[in-house]
Amino acid sequence: MSGRADAPDPGRSDPDLRDPYLPDRVPGGLRVTRYDLELDYRVASNRLDARARVHATADGDRDRVSLDLVGLTVTGVLVDGRRPGRWSHRSGRLEIRLARAVPTGTSLVVDVQYGGRPGPRRGPWGEVGWEELTDGVIVAGQPDGAPSWFPCDDRPSAKASFRIVVTTETGYEVVCNGALRSRTARSSRVRWEFEQAEPTAPYLATVQIGRYERTTLADGPVPQQVVAPARLRSAQAHDFARQPQMMALFADRFGPYPFGRYDVVVTDDELEIPLEAHGLSVFGANHADGRRGSERLVAHELAHQWFGNSLTAATWRDIWLHEGFAAYAEWLWEEEAGGRSADAQARAVHDRLSGLPQDLVIGDPGREDMFDDRLYKRGALTLHVLRRTLGDPEFFDVLRAWTQRYRHGTVTTPLLVGCVRDVTGADVTGLLDAWLARPALPELPALPGASGASVASRLRGGARRVLLAEG
């Protein structure tokens, strides 16, 4: 975990980066910068007719490129408006042989016509991707469901901007990532156009369709709306009422909110868990109980906008950088809202984890265990120990520098170590190794802030230097 790496170019993927947890998601020779998606969808028949224009550059000297697309039928492919040498689509991979070889950096627009009856992709994590609701659609792409509805470079590091156009029947509300640019009714159908400028991982792109109504939670500084069935109007109004206060707390602790707006969708169906997407989160009807029974999850999903969506792990091996931070945000909100202190929550969680199997390395959990609840909780414990080691002022300085330096980019654990060192002068390699790189749960150290300050001083060797985060 030691070592200092330079900040990545935000929103740009490493063309050779392979994710060990997604062995079938190999680099396809393209560095995608933008997806332009036009989707014509019929809810009753679950029929999708679509066109994707993928704007990219060649990441090397290439005579062929490829994209991921699962469960749908490709009917045509153009490259820069012309037929390629050849193309084939099998086993979830669209392979395209170019009409002529191109050198590194050549701009390409790959135009794909496709369609069919979209459905979720089945894999180690259950069913993920495009899924029918009782009356509508939910797209839950984490971690490998994006190719269930559009051709893409499906790696978390392969971030790009999006334009998403959805045409569907009247009577349905459509929610996608980004800002709604236009809504045009045409006979019995409505065309919705969304523009998302910030780079995002394909798994965080989404389409939500349902018989919903919109209510405003906040007009600013971050516009916030809840999109939900009318029958849940009273319950969701109560359950999400404190979300603007959460937003204010997290903006103070983590730095400015990274996107233009934040929306919440509550489906008419029940969902096992809520899920995050770029600039929005999705909850099931069961999460709007009118008693704030899922408020910790409201905090968790909101925190993902910083940790996971703006700052995205370069590979799924570092998923603790998403889930540990979001789980810790739950503790921060409970502490702020007058509940248990973060210290008390840390002790309770440590006691519970102590009685569970000690066989999970959260810094490399393996694909089968990357969503294990122990990773979430132990990740939060790691951050709390780091907080008490550094002391509150420096800990939150680190978080704000972390989110600013790698805004809209990709991150790794060594980059976090480097950020701590730059901001505070402390070398926390050993501390993080103990909590992230070994299966045994470390003992929870004494947590009062005064003792933490002395530890931080030793980690710095008596020196203190503050390096402001780059923009």
Side-chain angles (χ1 to χ4, degrees), residues 272-290:
E272 183 178 355
I273 57 173
L275 56 109
E276 73 275 11
H278 177 110
L280 62 97
S281 296
V282 184
F283 293 78
N286 51 309
H287 300 122
D289 59 10

Side-chain angles (χ1 to χ4, degrees), residues 207-284:
V207 175
Q208 307 290 327
I209 302 174
R211 297 189 184 276
Y212 303 138
E213 63 177 20
R214 291 177 179 263
T215 57
T216 297
L217 276 179
D219 291 320
V222 178
Q224 299 170 60
Q225 288 189 332
V226 177
V227 186
R231 72 178 181 88
L232 297 175
R233 185 182 302 143
S234 176
Q236 61 86 359
H238 180 73
D239 291 346
F240 292 94
R242 300 203 291 185
Q243 184 178 277
Q245 288 95 322
M246 291 181 192
M247 179 73 76
L249 173 68
F250 293 167
D252 177 69
R253 299 293 193 270
F254 307 150
Y257 179 73
F259 307 124
R261 60 178 302 110
Y262 181 63
D263 294 324
V264 167
V265 175
V266 182
T267 68
D268 212 1
D269 294 34
E270 294 190 354
L271 300 179
E272 183 178 355
I273 57 173
L275 56 109
E276 73 275 11
H278 177 110
L280 62 97
S281 296
V282 184
F283 293 78

Side-chain angles (χ1 to χ4, degrees), residues 37-41 48-50 114 130 149 164-167 207:
L37 308 177
E38 295 189 9
L39 314 175
D40 189 290
Y41 183 69
L48 176 66
D49 293 292
Y114 64 101
W130 186 290
W149 64 286
I164 304 175
V165 176
V166 179
T167 300
V207 175

Side-chain angles (χ1 to χ4, degrees), residues 340-360:
R340 294 175 299 168
S341 69
D343 283 349
Q345 294 177 77
R347 292 189 185 96
V349 166
H350 190 276
D351 287 346
R352 185 167 64 82
L353 289 178
S354 297
L356 298 177
Q358 305 295 309
D359 58 0
L360 183 66

Side-chain angles (χ1 to χ4, degrees), residues 426-458:
D427 183 357
V428 296
T429 304
L431 183 154
L432 292 184
D433 276 346
W435 284 88
L436 303 177
R438 303 171 193 172
L441 180 69
E443 290 297 320
L444 197 61
L447 293 179
S451 63
S454 65
V455 174
S457 178
R458 291 197 299 274

